[in-house]
Amino acid sequence: MAKKRTSPDFSALTRGELEGVVLTLWERLETLESKVSKNSSNSSQPPSSDGLRKTNSLREPSGKPPGAQPGHKGNTLKRMAEPSQIETHQLPEQCERCGCALDQEAAEIVERRQVIDTPVVACDIVEHRVLALRCTCGQRHRSVFPTTVTQAVQYGPNVRALGVHLTQGQLLPFARAAQLINDLYGIAISPATLLAWVDEARVALQATADTIADSLRAAPLVHADESGLRVQGKLHWLHVAANDSHTWYGVHAKRGMEAIATQAILPQRLGVLVHDCWAPYWQLAGRHALCNAHLLRELLYVQELTGERWPARMSELLLRANELCEAARHKNIALGAADVAALRTFYDAILSEGERRHPARLKPSGKAGRVKQCVAFNLLLRLRRYADAVLLFVSDPAVPFTNNLGERAIRMPKVK
């Protein structure tokens, strides 16, 4: 059985003792690294010396066998209490042995089996008729159509809702959604008709979209992300703001602050904003939290590029800190100030090691403009400048380790 990691108590340690703990952490990481076969990801060897190998991933093998694990409660199809149809399979009329007639009324049910299936569907056509009649006094009377029935032949609300759901909820292309409706129901619909239904739904749901935006403006924590999106063949930007209960999408021709200001959600917030360190987000008020999944990928790249140990140490620190915080959340507790300070000491010490290896490149005399720095220096600079945002998940239990929620929200529209 794996041992459960618990939060260490650093409250009684001096700064010097904390630095000693840092050295102990480094030694433990070196021990772990020594157990890994030498290659370009943990040594100074060039990547070409590794031969053919798979691209490194942040995911590590769990060590568990494939399939359900011991103790997992399996699920199977459950019998319905009230089936929609019952078919009773009759016994033969005579005994197969003696030929006597069998009393069907006395037979008992010995076993039941159920088949769950979808019904064969067909479109439901409702014809509305109005009546006219003249009274004996001469007054003519005429009934009226429902207010929703305005055309001689029109589509009903269910198929319109299905078209919007298939294109916007299931993200099917308009042509494929039209083909699916025709295949299932025999209703011929053009992609242009589906597009018109989506526009009508947009107008009808505007009040709902405004409610979602208002909720996110007042939310204590919001995830933000953006991605390129083609609109009529031209590059636009899909912006997303989301939390665990609401997701808001907006498309704009611009990517930066002009779009953020026009959409008017993020500029009016004072809570925590989780993002991927894109520069315009830093112009917004409130507290910031960075996506550590992005940083872990960059640390892995720098480790492979340089063969140095500090990126692996930083990755290990962030992952272990996240495990510690997850355990604390499950117990509904927060880390103490001393624990947070100790983790920050580890963080600063690892950065210092990297900064000693990658000092800033000085600009040659007589040359204008900025000096191009190496990838490792730029990552170290970002980790140092935004250290509070990187480690906000440690001091605030409500802050997640990554921006995965925002990225998941934007992934499926991006795929479409």
Side-chain angles (χ1 to χ4, degrees), residues 225 240 247 249 402-413:
D225 201 4
V240 61
T247 302
Y249 294 99
T402 70
N403 191 30
N404 285 350
L405 191 150
E407 293 180 356
R408 285 198 302 266
I410 211 168
R411 184 172 299 132
M412 291 311 297

Side-chain angles (χ1 to χ4, degrees), residues 54-96:
K54 294 182 178 179
T55 303
N56 282 342
S57 170
L58 293 178
R59 295 186 176 183
E60 298 180 356
S62 64
K64 299 178 181 178
Q69 304 302 312
H72 172 71
K73 184 179 180 181
N75 294 316
T76 186
L77 286 176
K78 299 185 183 299
R79 187 187 303 274
M80 301 295 180
E82 297 183 4
S84 56
Q85 180 180 344
I86 297 177
E87 292 187 12
T88 301
H89 302 280
Q90 299 296 333
L91 293 167
E93 294 182 356
Q94 296 177 331
C95 175
E96 298 175 351

Side-chain angles (χ1 to χ4, degrees), residues 391-402:
L391 296 177
L392 188 59
F393 75 96
V394 174
S395 57
D396 188 344
V399 175
F401 184 67
T402 70

Side-chain angles (χ1 to χ4, degrees), residues 371-392:
V371 178
K372 183 178 180 180
Q373 304 292 338
C374 66
V375 174
F377 174 86
N378 290 331
L379 177 58
L380 287 163
L381 180 63
R382 195 171 343 122
L383 290 170
R384 177 70 75 182
R385 179 177 296 170
Y386 304 118
D388 291 339
V390 174
L391 296 177
L392 188 59

